[in-house]
Amino acid sequence: MTDTREDRQAEENRDFSAEEVARARADTPGCAKVAHFNNAGASLMPRQVVDASVHHLHLEADMGGYEAAAHATERIEAVYDSAARLLGCDRDEIALVDNATRAWDMAFYGIPFRPGDRVLTSMAEYGSNFIAYLQVAERYGVQVDVVPNDEHGQISVDALSAAVDERVRVISLTHVPTNGGLVNPAAEVGKIAREAGALFLLDACQSVGQLAVDVGEIGCDMLSTTGRKYLRGPRGTGLLYVRKDVLDRLVPPVLDLHAATWTARDRYEMRPDARRFETWEANYAAQLGLGAAIDHALGWGLPRIQARVTRLAGTLRERLAEIPGVHVRDLGVRRCGITTFTVDGVAADRVRAALAAQGINVSVSRTASTRLDMDDRGLGEVVRASVHYYNTEEEVAALTRAVRSCT
């Protein structure tokens, strides 16, 4: 008997069983030590990730770095296949880089801007990205325009459509902002970008690993993400997707003997794939850990991870909203695994410290990370609690009790 679409949908939405949650936690030694709600900062790595990285470090120590890389060639190449499965693209559209910032920078600074070009972005744009916009504005005479939010606090698709003209070189959007749980309507933005003939750069640093992200469905030309957050990989790892049809519209800001070939005394040829955005030196131990993290996520299934993370975060928001003096600050029609809140009369750092004393990890997001959005809402800081599929309902309850004790 063949599976129907309804059967597949039901499987994708099926919550983790108690046995599966227990297995996920058993694979994550850190779960025995902390209640970790800082997954939007850096998730707890599963043992499979640690083992993959440590194994390669031992190879480097035993046989030498070059020799270890040659020995692991097939496993390193397999990371590109896993990343392509994760994002729904071809392996030659993937570059492995040091981090999400480097991935985003290689894409953005690879756009050949001209005076008068326009960059369209959103109110909740990440601070590092906005600094880059300001820099190219100074350097090339580019105009940076911020598209207002709609009534739900996400980028207004109608306002974006009205703002587009022939001068728009790129629409650059943060999929999930660092200071809240909203998910921007990326697919709708992608449709507008395609119709306008503008490049679409998506910062998916906070979404890949907790949401099912398909670059074909979204319609982005470039996507950057990290390994350390919801993918549960090592720090110092990142991915860049570049759609093959736009490769020749970009000029990598850095080239070396990996990204290009020196063909004559006065000539070079760039690689024909996205690896032109890489450099020769690489942390292969970390890359293999990233590959293990991606495979681990694919094994659970991103739709199932998304369903569980979204549900747990919804429960957390509901419980926090019941506490007098606590204000949940998340916006958007669609929300994800990040929950942000403030406590009347209590500084965010004090809340974080009080929770840490009880073995509960959260983080604090401040104005500088998302200045436009925070200023617009009159917020200077928020406490950020970000769940993952290995968190439990009991941990959510413990977090809620700990926050209540701060009021």
Side-chain angles (χ1 to χ4, degrees):
M1 185 174 67
T2 59
D3 290 339
T4 66
R5 181 177 179 179
E6 290 75 15
D7 291 334
R8 292 192 297 272
Q9 188 70 42
E11 172 60 23
E12 289 178 353
N13 291 330
R14 180 174 60 85
D15 196 4
F16 283 48
S17 67
E19 291 77 14
E20 287 175 315
V21 174
R23 175 156 58 89
R25 292 174 67 81
D27 282 340
T28 310
C31 285
K33 301 175 182 178
V34 294
H36 192 69
F37 291 94
N38 191 15
N39 296 288
S43 287
L44 298 178
M45 290 185 290
R47 58 178 176 77
Q48 292 89 341
V49 171
V50 177
D51 290 347
S53 293
V54 170
H55 174 72
H56 190 77
L57 286 174
H58 282 305
L59 282 181
E60 290 186 342
D62 291 343
M63 65 174 64
Y66 287 20
E67 292 76 10
H71 181 81
T73 296
E74 289 186 7
R75 288 187 289 119
I76 294 168
E77 287 297 316
V79 180
Y80 292 89
D81 296 314
S82 296
R85 285 181 57 206
L86 176 73
L87 299 179
C89 63
D90 294 334
R91 72 190 313 273
D92 59 359
E93 296 177 310
I94 293 290
L96 302 180
V97 291
D98 300 343
N99 52 65
T101 300
R102 177 59 59 87
W104 190 94
D105 284 346
M106 291 297 283
F108 182 73
Y109 286 104
I111 299 171
F113 288 107
R114 299 184 299 257
D117 283 346
R118 297 175 65 208
V119 174
L120 298 184
T121 190
S122 67
M123 288 289 293
E125 195 65 5
Y126 185 54
S128 292
N129 300 355
F130 213 95
I131 288 171
Y133 306 149
L134 297 176
Q135 186 182 46
V136 299
E138 293 176 350
R139 183 180 294 173
Y140 300 112
V142 169
Q143 178 179 327
V144 180
D145 293 314
V146 179
V147 179
N149 290 334
D150 64 15
E151 67 273 21
H152 305 290
Q154 62 196 18
I155 187 171
S156 170
V157 175
D158 290 338
L160 174 64
S161 182
V164 170
D165 62 18
E166 69 281 354
R167 291 171 49 212
V168 174
R169 179 57 64 95
V170 61
I171 299 172
S172 184
L173 179 70
T174 295
H175 197 189
V176 171
T178 191
N179 68 330
L182 80 85
V183 181
N184 268 314
E188 288 88 340
V189 172
K191 184 174 184 294
I192 293 171
R194 287 194 300 274
E195 292 173 349
L199 293 168
F200 179 23
L201 170 58
L202 186 67
D203 181 341
C205 193
Q206 302 279 64
S207 56
V208 172
Q210 68 155 319
L211 304 179
V213 174
D214 186 298
V215 294
E217 293 179 1
I218 291 173
C220 56
D221 298 300
M222 300 158 284
L223 178 149
S224 62
T225 195
T226 185
R228 66 179 161 88
K229 294 177 181 282
Y230 277 98
L231 277 177
R232 306 184 64 194
R235 299 193 69 172
T237 58
L239 295 173
L240 173 63
Y241 156 78
V242 181
R243 185 164 62 86
K244 62 183 66 176
D245 293 345
V246 304
L247 270 176
D248 292 335
R249 294 170 61 182
L250 306 175
V251 181
V254 175
L255 292 174
D256 68 356
L257 283 170
H258 171 83
T261 301
W262 194 10
T263 57
R265 295 175 75 92
D266 59 350
R267 291 192 302 277
Y268 66 87
E269 293 180 3
M270 284 190 290
R271 291 183 62 117
D273 56 17
R275 297 194 207 189
R276 64 175 63 178
F277 293 95
E278 300 177 347
T279 55
W280 183 83
E281 181 59 22
N283 185 341
Y284 290 116
Q287 287 186 3
L288 289 166
L290 174 62
I294 294 171
D295 290 341
H296 198 68
L298 291 171
W300 288 111
L302 270 301
R304 292 191 66 209
I305 291 174
Q306 175 178 307
R308 177 168 176 80
V309 166
T310 302
R311 185 184 64 77
L312 278 175
T315 299
L316 176 58
R317 290 189 194 99
E318 290 175 1
R319 294 187 176 184
L320 289 173
E322 294 171 352
I323 303 174
V326 174
H327 306 277
V328 175
R329 300 295 185 175
D330 300 309
L331 304 175
V333 173
R334 180 186 177 194
R335 298 177 185 177
C336 62
I338 300 173
T339 297
T340 55
F341 62 95
T342 57
V343 180
D344 287 345
V346 186
D349 279 333
R350 184 177 161 194
V351 175
R352 177 174 59 181
L355 270 57
Q358 299 181 54
I360 301 170
N361 293 344
V362 296
S363 62
V364 175
S365 185
R366 307 181 196 280
T367 300
S369 294
T370 43
R371 178 170 295 278
L372 300 184
D373 178 67
M374 296 287 272
D375 284 350
D376 191 60
R377 293 198 278 158
L379 296 172
E381 58 184 17
V382 292
V383 182
R384 186 180 71 184
S386 42
V387 303
H388 217 327
Y389 61 87
Y390 56 71
N391 289 122
T392 64
E393 288 78 1
E394 290 77 15
E395 287 179 324
V396 169
L399 170 59
T400 307
R401 289 193 298 272
V403 172
R404 187 181 293 274
S405 70
C406 294
T407 61

